[in-house]
mmCIF file of all heavy atoms in Angstrom:
data_model
loop_
_atom_site.group_PDB
_atom_site.id
_atom_site.type_symbol
_atom_site.label_atom_id
_atom_site.label_comp_id
_atom_site.label_asym_id
_atom_site.label_seq_id
_atom_site.Cartn_x
_atom_site.Cartn_y
_atom_site.Cartn_z
ATOM 1 N N GLN A 366 162.720 -159.547 7.606
ATOM 2 C CA GLN A 366 162.697 -160.734 6.754
ATOM 3 C C GLN A 366 162.209 -160.372 5.352
ATOM 4 O O GLN A 366 161.123 -159.785 5.207
ATOM 5 C CB GLN A 366 161.801 -161.798 7.365
ATOM 6 C CG GLN A 366 161.831 -163.126 6.602
ATOM 7 C CD GLN A 366 161.006 -164.186 7.302
ATOM 8 O OE1 GLN A 366 160.113 -163.890 8.087
ATOM 9 N NE2 GLN A 366 161.309 -165.442 7.007
ATOM 10 N N PRO A 367 162.966 -160.707 4.336
ATOM 11 C CA PRO A 367 162.518 -160.445 2.952
ATOM 12 C C PRO A 367 161.180 -161.127 2.665
ATOM 13 O O PRO A 367 160.951 -162.266 3.098
ATOM 14 C CB PRO A 367 163.655 -161.037 2.101
ATOM 15 C CG PRO A 367 164.840 -161.068 3.004
ATOM 16 C CD PRO A 367 164.293 -161.343 4.370
ATOM 17 N N THR A 369 158.258 -160.890 3.910
ATOM 18 C CA THR A 369 157.248 -160.641 4.940
ATOM 19 C C THR A 369 157.362 -159.260 5.545
ATOM 20 O O THR A 369 156.388 -158.748 6.087
ATOM 21 C CB THR A 369 157.342 -161.685 6.054
ATOM 22 O OG1 THR A 369 158.547 -161.475 6.804
ATOM 23 C CG2 THR A 369 157.333 -163.096 5.491
ATOM 24 N N THR A 371 158.857 -158.646 8.271
ATOM 25 C CA THR A 371 158.772 -158.857 9.718
ATOM 26 C C THR A 371 160.117 -158.557 10.370
ATOM 27 O O THR A 371 161.173 -158.986 9.888
ATOM 28 C CB THR A 371 158.355 -160.301 10.039
ATOM 29 O OG1 THR A 371 157.107 -160.577 9.379
ATOM 30 C CG2 THR A 371 158.181 -160.500 11.534
ATOM 31 N N TRP A 373 163.044 -159.037 12.927
ATOM 32 C CA TRP A 373 163.715 -160.013 13.767
ATOM 33 C C TRP A 373 164.887 -159.302 14.469
ATOM 34 O O TRP A 373 165.462 -158.373 13.922
ATOM 35 C CB TRP A 373 164.261 -161.178 12.944
ATOM 36 C CG TRP A 373 163.252 -162.090 12.338
ATOM 37 C CD1 TRP A 373 162.265 -161.762 11.444
ATOM 38 C CD2 TRP A 373 163.124 -163.497 12.559
ATOM 39 N NE1 TRP A 373 161.533 -162.872 11.093
ATOM 40 C CE2 TRP A 373 162.046 -163.942 11.772
ATOM 41 C CE3 TRP A 373 163.811 -164.411 13.354
ATOM 42 C CZ2 TRP A 373 161.642 -165.288 11.742
ATOM 43 C CZ3 TRP A 373 163.425 -165.756 13.322
ATOM 44 C CH2 TRP A 373 162.361 -166.169 12.547
ATOM 45 N N LEU A 391 166.974 -165.044 19.781
ATOM 46 C CA LEU A 391 166.623 -164.536 18.455
ATOM 47 C C LEU A 391 165.107 -164.405 18.450
ATOM 48 O O LEU A 391 164.385 -165.404 18.597
ATOM 49 C CB LEU A 391 167.084 -165.487 17.354
ATOM 50 C CG LEU A 391 166.700 -165.084 15.926
ATOM 51 C CD1 LEU A 391 167.353 -163.769 15.530
ATOM 52 C CD2 LEU A 391 167.062 -166.179 14.935
ATOM 53 N N ASP A 392 164.610 -163.189 18.322
ATOM 54 C CA ASP A 392 163.194 -162.896 18.465
ATOM 55 C C ASP A 392 162.584 -162.386 17.168
ATOM 56 O O ASP A 392 163.293 -161.846 16.311
ATOM 57 C CB ASP A 392 162.985 -161.859 19.559
ATOM 58 C CG ASP A 392 163.395 -162.346 20.934
ATOM 59 O OD1 ASP A 392 163.037 -163.483 21.283
ATOM 60 O OD2 ASP A 392 164.069 -161.600 21.674
ATOM 61 N N ARG A 393 161.264 -162.535 17.074
ATOM 62 C CA ARG A 393 160.517 -162.017 15.935
ATOM 63 C C ARG A 393 159.329 -161.201 16.434
ATOM 64 O O ARG A 393 158.580 -161.648 17.304
ATOM 65 C CB ARG A 393 160.014 -163.176 15.055
ATOM 66 C CG ARG A 393 159.214 -162.736 13.828
ATOM 67 C CD ARG A 393 158.808 -163.933 12.981
ATOM 68 N NE ARG A 393 157.853 -164.802 13.660
ATOM 69 C CZ ARG A 393 157.431 -165.959 13.170
ATOM 70 N NH1 ARG A 393 157.881 -166.395 12.011
ATOM 71 N NH2 ARG A 393 156.564 -166.704 13.847
ATOM 72 N N ALA A 395 155.798 -159.846 16.083
ATOM 73 C CA ALA A 395 154.576 -160.153 15.354
ATOM 74 C C ALA A 395 153.605 -158.980 15.334
ATOM 75 O O ALA A 395 152.811 -158.831 14.403
ATOM 76 C CB ALA A 395 153.879 -161.371 15.964
ATOM 77 N N PRO A 427 157.840 -165.830 23.566
ATOM 78 C CA PRO A 427 159.094 -166.590 23.668
ATOM 79 C C PRO A 427 159.971 -166.312 22.454
ATOM 80 O O PRO A 427 159.498 -165.840 21.416
ATOM 81 C CB PRO A 427 158.620 -168.042 23.680
ATOM 82 C CG PRO A 427 157.364 -168.010 22.851
ATOM 83 C CD PRO A 427 156.704 -166.683 23.163
ATOM 84 N N PRO A 428 161.241 -166.605 22.561
ATOM 85 C CA PRO A 428 162.125 -166.426 21.404
ATOM 86 C C PRO A 428 161.832 -167.426 20.302
ATOM 87 O O PRO A 428 161.281 -168.511 20.534
ATOM 88 C CB PRO A 428 163.527 -166.654 22.001
ATOM 89 C CG PRO A 428 163.301 -167.530 23.189
ATOM 90 C CD PRO A 428 161.966 -167.117 23.740
ATOM 91 N N MET A 429 162.223 -167.065 19.084
ATOM 92 C CA MET A 429 162.106 -168.012 17.969
ATOM 93 C C MET A 429 163.127 -169.150 18.130
ATOM 94 O O MET A 429 162.872 -170.274 17.734
ATOM 95 C CB MET A 429 162.344 -167.290 16.642
ATOM 96 C CG MET A 429 161.266 -166.254 16.334
ATOM 97 S SD MET A 429 159.607 -166.952 16.297
ATOM 98 C CE MET A 429 159.718 -168.035 14.864
ATOM 99 N N THR A 430 164.282 -168.807 18.727
ATOM 100 C CA THR A 430 165.250 -169.837 19.084
ATOM 101 C C THR A 430 166.205 -169.280 20.129
ATOM 102 O O THR A 430 166.408 -168.055 20.224
ATOM 103 C CB THR A 430 166.058 -170.314 17.833
ATOM 104 O OG1 THR A 430 166.795 -171.494 18.169
ATOM 105 C CG2 THR A 430 167.010 -169.253 17.360
ATOM 106 N N LYS A 431 166.771 -170.188 20.931
ATOM 107 C CA LYS A 431 167.771 -169.802 21.908
ATOM 108 C C LYS A 431 169.159 -169.893 21.258
ATOM 109 O O LYS A 431 169.414 -170.795 20.471
ATOM 110 C CB LYS A 431 167.693 -170.709 23.120
ATOM 111 C CG LYS A 431 166.351 -170.654 23.843
ATOM 112 C CD LYS A 431 166.324 -171.602 25.024
ATOM 113 C CE LYS A 431 164.982 -171.563 25.743
ATOM 114 N NZ LYS A 431 164.961 -172.465 26.930
ATOM 115 N N LEU A 432 170.034 -168.978 21.638
ATOM 116 C CA LEU A 432 171.329 -168.878 20.958
ATOM 117 C C LEU A 432 172.505 -169.309 21.823
ATOM 118 O O LEU A 432 173.630 -169.367 21.346
ATOM 119 C CB LEU A 432 171.551 -167.436 20.491
ATOM 120 C CG LEU A 432 170.525 -166.908 19.496
ATOM 121 C CD1 LEU A 432 170.764 -165.426 19.205
ATOM 122 C CD2 LEU A 432 170.572 -167.699 18.200
ATOM 123 N N PHE A 443 169.526 -161.133 7.434
ATOM 124 C CA PHE A 443 169.040 -162.128 6.474
ATOM 125 C C PHE A 443 169.962 -162.084 5.247
ATOM 126 O O PHE A 443 170.327 -160.998 4.775
ATOM 127 C CB PHE A 443 167.612 -161.813 6.048
ATOM 128 C CG PHE A 443 166.589 -162.152 7.086
ATOM 129 C CD1 PHE A 443 166.170 -161.215 8.019
ATOM 130 C CD2 PHE A 443 166.041 -163.442 7.133
ATOM 131 C CE1 PHE A 443 165.229 -161.554 8.972
ATOM 132 C CE2 PHE A 443 165.099 -163.766 8.084
ATOM 133 C CZ PHE A 443 164.681 -162.826 9.019
ATOM 134 N N ASP A 452 170.976 -172.777 -0.622
ATOM 135 C CA ASP A 452 170.525 -173.110 0.730
ATOM 136 C C ASP A 452 170.707 -171.958 1.704
ATOM 137 O O ASP A 452 170.051 -171.907 2.735
ATOM 138 C CB ASP A 452 171.290 -174.358 1.227
ATOM 139 C CG ASP A 452 170.890 -174.722 2.646
ATOM 140 O OD1 ASP A 452 169.705 -174.968 2.890
ATOM 141 O OD2 ASP A 452 171.797 -174.761 3.518
ATOM 142 N N ARG A 454 170.202 -168.695 1.077
ATOM 143 C CA ARG A 454 169.295 -167.576 0.861
ATOM 144 C C ARG A 454 168.128 -167.606 1.838
ATOM 145 O O ARG A 454 167.475 -168.640 2.012
ATOM 146 C CB ARG A 454 168.788 -167.557 -0.573
ATOM 147 C CG ARG A 454 169.909 -167.357 -1.582
ATOM 148 C CD ARG A 454 169.414 -167.360 -3.009
ATOM 149 N NE ARG A 454 170.528 -167.500 -3.929
ATOM 150 C CZ ARG A 454 170.400 -167.667 -5.244
ATOM 151 N NH1 ARG A 454 169.195 -167.715 -5.782
ATOM 152 N NH2 ARG A 454 171.465 -167.805 -5.995
ATOM 153 N N GLY A 455 167.884 -166.485 2.471
ATOM 154 C CA GLY A 455 166.800 -166.396 3.419
ATOM 155 C C GLY A 455 167.167 -166.842 4.815
ATOM 156 O O GLY A 455 166.354 -166.673 5.749
ATOM 157 N N SER A 456 168.359 -167.380 5.013
ATOM 158 C CA SER A 456 168.782 -167.754 6.367
ATOM 159 C C SER A 456 169.373 -166.532 7.053
ATOM 160 O O SER A 456 169.595 -165.482 6.441
ATOM 161 C CB SER A 456 169.787 -168.915 6.319
ATOM 162 O OG SER A 456 170.920 -168.583 5.550
ATOM 163 N N ILE A 457 169.627 -166.645 8.344
ATOM 164 C CA ILE A 457 170.068 -165.522 9.153
ATOM 165 C C ILE A 457 171.504 -165.771 9.625
ATOM 166 O O ILE A 457 171.802 -166.821 10.220
ATOM 167 C CB ILE A 457 169.152 -165.330 10.385
ATOM 168 C CG1 ILE A 457 167.710 -165.078 9.937
ATOM 169 C CG2 ILE A 457 169.651 -164.182 11.252
ATOM 170 C CD1 ILE A 457 166.722 -165.067 11.099
ATOM 171 N N ILE A 459 174.352 -164.540 12.275
ATOM 172 C CA ILE A 459 174.377 -163.882 13.579
ATOM 173 C C ILE A 459 175.819 -163.817 14.053
ATOM 174 O O ILE A 459 176.534 -164.813 14.078
ATOM 175 C CB ILE A 459 173.538 -164.659 14.616
ATOM 176 C CG1 ILE A 459 172.068 -164.772 14.147
ATOM 177 C CG2 ILE A 459 173.595 -163.986 15.993
ATOM 178 C CD1 ILE A 459 171.230 -165.725 14.972
ATOM 179 N N ARG A 477 174.811 -169.496 11.698
ATOM 180 C CA ARG A 477 173.705 -169.366 10.737
ATOM 181 C C ARG A 477 172.477 -170.067 11.289
ATOM 182 O O ARG A 477 172.557 -171.217 11.733
ATOM 183 C CB ARG A 477 174.096 -169.954 9.382
ATOM 184 C CG ARG A 477 172.983 -169.853 8.332
ATOM 185 C CD ARG A 477 173.475 -170.257 6.959
ATOM 186 N NE ARG A 477 173.624 -171.682 6.757
ATOM 187 C CZ ARG A 477 172.891 -172.425 5.957
ATOM 188 N NH1 ARG A 477 171.889 -171.862 5.264
ATOM 189 N NH2 ARG A 477 173.110 -173.704 5.807
ATOM 190 N N ALA A 478 171.343 -169.352 11.257
ATOM 191 C CA ALA A 478 170.069 -169.931 11.612
ATOM 192 C C ALA A 478 169.281 -170.183 10.339
ATOM 193 O O ALA A 478 169.088 -169.279 9.526
ATOM 194 C CB ALA A 478 169.287 -169.011 12.540
ATOM 195 N N VAL A 479 168.844 -171.425 10.162
ATOM 196 C CA VAL A 479 168.142 -171.823 8.949
ATOM 197 C C VAL A 479 166.640 -171.836 9.240
ATOM 198 O O VAL A 479 166.188 -172.418 10.242
ATOM 199 C CB VAL A 479 168.603 -173.215 8.464
ATOM 200 C CG1 VAL A 479 167.868 -173.616 7.190
ATOM 201 C CG2 VAL A 479 170.113 -173.203 8.231
ATOM 202 N N LEU A 480 165.857 -171.229 8.349
ATOM 203 C CA LEU A 480 164.414 -171.112 8.530
ATOM 204 C C LEU A 480 163.668 -171.984 7.521
ATOM 205 O O LEU A 480 164.155 -172.197 6.395
ATOM 206 C CB LEU A 480 163.949 -169.657 8.370
ATOM 207 C CG LEU A 480 164.098 -168.701 9.542
ATOM 208 C CD1 LEU A 480 165.543 -168.560 9.975
ATOM 209 C CD2 LEU A 480 163.536 -167.340 9.199
ATOM 210 N N ASP A 481 162.498 -172.449 7.923
ATOM 211 C CA ASP A 481 161.652 -173.172 6.975
ATOM 212 C C ASP A 481 160.695 -172.189 6.295
ATOM 213 O O ASP A 481 160.740 -170.975 6.517
ATOM 214 C CB ASP A 481 160.899 -174.310 7.651
ATOM 215 C CG ASP A 481 159.901 -173.831 8.735
ATOM 216 O OD1 ASP A 481 159.544 -172.632 8.725
ATOM 217 O OD2 ASP A 481 159.502 -174.677 9.566
ATOM 218 N N ALA A 482 159.799 -172.719 5.455
ATOM 219 C CA ALA A 482 158.914 -171.864 4.687
ATOM 220 C C ALA A 482 157.950 -171.069 5.564
ATOM 221 O O ALA A 482 157.428 -170.015 5.143
ATOM 222 C CB ALA A 482 158.123 -172.708 3.680
ATOM 223 N N LYS A 483 157.703 -171.533 6.783
ATOM 224 C CA LYS A 483 156.790 -170.842 7.690
ATOM 225 C C LYS A 483 157.525 -169.839 8.594
ATOM 226 O O LYS A 483 156.900 -169.215 9.443
ATOM 227 C CB LYS A 483 156.047 -171.869 8.535
ATOM 228 C CG LYS A 483 155.114 -172.770 7.741
ATOM 229 C CD LYS A 483 154.360 -173.724 8.638
ATOM 230 C CE LYS A 483 153.421 -174.618 7.856
ATOM 231 N NZ LYS A 483 152.688 -175.568 8.745
ATOM 232 N N GLY A 484 158.834 -169.720 8.414
ATOM 233 C CA GLY A 484 159.596 -168.785 9.217
ATOM 234 C C GLY A 484 160.057 -169.330 10.551
ATOM 235 O O GLY A 484 160.497 -168.558 11.411
ATOM 236 N N ASN A 485 159.986 -170.636 10.734
ATOM 237 C CA ASN A 485 160.477 -171.253 11.977
ATOM 238 C C ASN A 485 161.949 -171.634 11.819
ATOM 239 O O ASN A 485 162.365 -172.051 10.742
ATOM 240 C CB ASN A 485 159.647 -172.482 12.309
ATOM 241 C CG ASN A 485 158.197 -172.156 12.568
ATOM 242 O OD1 ASN A 485 157.887 -171.255 13.333
ATOM 243 N ND2 ASN A 485 157.299 -172.872 11.904
ATOM 244 N N VAL A 486 162.711 -171.510 12.886
ATOM 245 C CA VAL A 486 164.114 -171.884 12.855
ATOM 246 C C VAL A 486 164.235 -173.390 12.980
ATOM 247 O O VAL A 486 163.792 -173.995 13.966
ATOM 248 C CB VAL A 486 164.891 -171.194 13.992
ATOM 249 C CG1 VAL A 486 166.355 -171.623 13.987
ATOM 250 C CG2 VAL A 486 164.790 -169.666 13.882
ATOM 251 N N THR A 487 164.781 -174.017 11.960
ATOM 252 C CA THR A 487 164.909 -175.469 11.947
ATOM 253 C C THR A 487 166.226 -175.965 12.493
ATOM 254 O O THR A 487 166.315 -177.078 13.030
ATOM 255 C CB THR A 487 164.731 -176.027 10.521
ATOM 256 O OG1 THR A 487 165.734 -175.456 9.670
ATOM 257 C CG2 THR A 487 163.351 -175.656 9.986
ATOM 258 N N ARG A 488 167.270 -175.139 12.369
ATOM 259 C CA ARG A 488 168.565 -175.547 12.929
ATOM 260 C C ARG A 488 169.505 -174.342 12.974
ATOM 261 O O ARG A 488 169.280 -173.332 12.335
ATOM 262 C CB ARG A 488 169.213 -176.666 12.102
ATOM 263 C CG ARG A 488 169.735 -176.238 10.743
ATOM 264 C CD ARG A 488 170.398 -177.410 10.031
ATOM 265 N NE ARG A 488 171.120 -176.997 8.831
ATOM 266 C CZ ARG A 488 170.574 -176.857 7.647
ATOM 267 N NH1 ARG A 488 169.275 -177.100 7.472
ATOM 268 N NH2 ARG A 488 171.307 -176.492 6.598
ATOM 269 N N GLN A 489 170.545 -174.498 13.799
ATOM 270 C CA GLN A 489 171.639 -173.538 13.844
ATOM 271 C C GLN A 489 172.933 -174.288 13.523
ATOM 272 O O GLN A 489 173.084 -175.453 13.868
ATOM 273 C CB GLN A 489 171.760 -172.905 15.232
ATOM 274 C CG GLN A 489 170.606 -172.048 15.667
ATOM 275 C CD GLN A 489 170.837 -171.494 17.049
ATOM 276 O OE1 GLN A 489 171.902 -170.933 17.349
ATOM 277 N NE2 GLN A 489 169.846 -171.630 17.926
#
Side-chain angles (χ1 to χ4, degrees):
Q366 186 176 22
T369 69
T371 304
W373 291 61
L391 177 64
D392 295 316
R393 180 177 66 185
M429 295 303 293
T430 191
K431 299 179 181 182
L432 299 174
F443 284 92
D452 178 58
R454 296 179 194 173
S456 59
I457 300 172
I459 301 170
R477 179 171 76 112
V479 181
L480 279 60
D481 63 19
K483 295 182 179 180
N485 298 310
V486 178
T487 59
R488 71 178 190 274
Q489 296 180 48

